[in-house]
Amino acid sequence: MKAGIHPEYRKVVFHDTSVDKYFVIGSTLQTDRTIEWEDGKTYPYFTLDVSSESHPYYTGKQRVIHKEGRVANFNRRFGSFNKEDK
């Protein structure tokens, strides 16, 4: 790698404020806020609104709406015309 052009890769503490969960992930994110973690070290700190801990898709609380496909919709609307010809 070319020296001096890449951002610093380091561990960052992310805080999902919607469910009050903290996790440490390696990142190149630049932030001026810091927090002391459970291991006694100080890490950069960044807050999030949504993460995999709170997003409905990952938590299994998402409501799935099944829409019929285009072919099924076509057959529902125009399928009865074929039956009348026979």
Side-chain angles (χ1 to χ4, degrees), residues 16 18-19 21-23 50-56 58-59 61:
D16 184 349
S18 61
V19 291
K21 291 283 186 173
Y22 293 85
F23 45 95
V50 177
S51 71
S52 60
E53 289 286 331
S54 62
H55 193 280
Y58 296 107
T59 59
K61 296 179 182 177

Side-chain angles (χ1 to χ4, degrees), residues 29-51:
L29 181 78
Q30 298 297 321
T31 180
D32 55 352
R33 297 170 63 189
T34 59
I35 189 171
E36 188 170 330
W37 190 241
E38 299 162 349
D39 60 3
K41 296 181 183 177
T42 301
Y43 293 104
Y45 173 75
F46 190 77
T47 57
L48 302 171
D49 295 329
V50 177
S51 71

Side-chain angles (χ1 to χ4, degrees), residues 9-85:
Y9 184 78
R10 59 196 176 162
K11 297 213 180 241
V12 177
V13 174
F14 289 93
H15 177 205
D16 184 349
T17 56
S18 61
V19 291
D20 198 33
K21 291 283 186 173
Y22 293 85
F23 45 95
V24 179
I25 297 180
S27 176
T28 60
L29 181 78
Q30 298 297 321
T31 180
D32 55 352
R33 297 170 63 189
T34 59
I35 189 171
E36 188 170 330
W37 190 241
E38 299 162 349
D39 60 3
K41 296 181 183 177
T42 301
Y43 293 104
Y45 173 75
F46 190 77
T47 57
L48 302 171
D49 295 329
V50 177
S51 71
S52 60
E53 289 286 331
S54 62
H55 193 280
Y57 179 79
Y58 296 107
T59 59
K61 296 179 182 177
Q62 181 178 15
R63 288 185 281 161
V64 178
I65 300 171
H66 294 287
K67 295 183 179 180
E68 37 178 44
R70 291 182 179 200
V71 174
N73 192 23
F74 178 85
N75 288 335
R76 180 182 55 81
R77 291 177 65 193
F78 302 110
S80 62
F81 292 123
N82 272 346
K83 293 176 185 175
E84 292 174 3
D85 293 340

